[in-house]
Amino acid sequence: MFERMTTDARAVIARLPRLAQAADRREMTLWDLATALPAPSGNTAALWHTPTAEPPPAAEPLAAESRTAGTVPPRSVSGAAPGLRFDREARAVLEQALRVALEERAEHIGTEHLLAALLRTGPPDVVAWLAARRATAEAVDALLARLGGGPGVERLPAEPSRADRRNWRRATERAHGGQRNPHPLATVAVVLTVMVVSFVLCVWGP
């Protein structure tokens, strides 16, 4: 999963350990993820603004830093610092982000997929905090529609291998019920066949 994250999405994950440690916790939570998401770069950058509302208590000490941190990759394959782990709810959101990306037929997991997953599965207080920053479910759905599964301004840190592309394609097909996207030439052939059959029936009758 993490190998398919864009550099911007990895930067979000890389901020979580500092937020958890600042709150003296051994687990990274949904609040950490919510606080790390607002950033001036990436596909979701245009959504964010700073309201008068207070930052979430779980991540207040580093809320400002999280918005300006650089794109530092995670220090482990899980995206967490040694000794830290995601709590159950945070893991569920990351899994949902993968499903969102597959449903969108995207070839990456970007900040838009993390945000969409958080809005769709997060508790009401987290969703309300994000909505106060203009990151509403409607705004994210519109963003996903505009991107159409494309990478937008975000990029993968490295070109996926052939095996990784094959595995991702299979996962996408499973997410869509095993259905493949029809090849454009196959679609044209079907349309032409239907037109020819219709013409023959019109000329010679049933």
Side-chain angles (χ1 to χ4, degrees):
M1 172 184 178
F2 286 92
E3 62 273 9
R4 278 288 177 163
M5 278 192 172
T6 64
T7 54
D8 290 276
R10 290 176 181 226
V12 170
I13 300 301
R15 294 170 194 143
L16 304 187
R18 294 196 297 274
L19 297 174
Q21 289 168 345
D24 197 25
R25 284 182 280 99
R26 302 305 300 169
E27 290 187 324
M28 295 172 287
T29 69
L30 295 181
W31 275 121
D32 297 325
L33 182 56
T35 309
L37 270 167
S41 62
N43 290 335
T44 61
L47 295 179
W48 304 108
H49 75 104
T50 304
T52 56
E54 292 296 318
E60 183 173 358
L62 289 180
E65 179 187 348
S66 69
R67 289 192 293 270
T68 58
T71 54
V72 181
R75 282 185 280 175
S76 71
V77 68
S78 67
L84 285 177
R85 61 183 182 276
F86 296 107
D87 68 6
R88 180 177 56 82
E89 291 180 326
R91 287 198 305 272
V93 167
L94 293 176
E95 292 168 359
Q96 176 67 15
L98 171 61
R99 287 193 288 272
V100 172
L102 293 174
E103 289 168 1
E104 293 294 318
R105 297 189 185 276
E107 294 191 354
H108 68 286
I109 301 173
T111 57
E112 69 273 22
H113 304 125
L114 293 175
L115 181 57
L118 192 54
L119 287 168
R120 294 175 186 179
T121 62
D125 53 348
V126 173
V127 174
W129 187 85
L130 290 167
R133 282 147 180 79
R134 207 165 55 197
T136 63
E138 294 78 13
V140 173
D141 286 344
L143 172 62
L144 291 174
R146 286 198 304 273
L147 292 172
V153 299
E154 300 187 16
R155 295 292 180 268
L156 292 172
E159 186 70 18
S161 66
R162 181 177 299 178
D164 179 63
R165 287 181 181 276
R166 182 173 60 251
N167 292 336
W168 187 264
R169 184 170 60 252
R170 289 173 179 171
T172 302
E173 291 168 3
R174 287 195 298 270
H176 289 266
Q179 297 179 352
R180 293 176 178 266
N181 278 334
H183 192 280
L185 292 179
T187 303
V188 171
V190 170
V191 171
L192 289 176
T193 301
V194 171
M195 291 176 63
V196 169
V197 171
S198 300
F199 176 76
V200 170
L201 291 176
C202 289
V203 173
W204 280 283

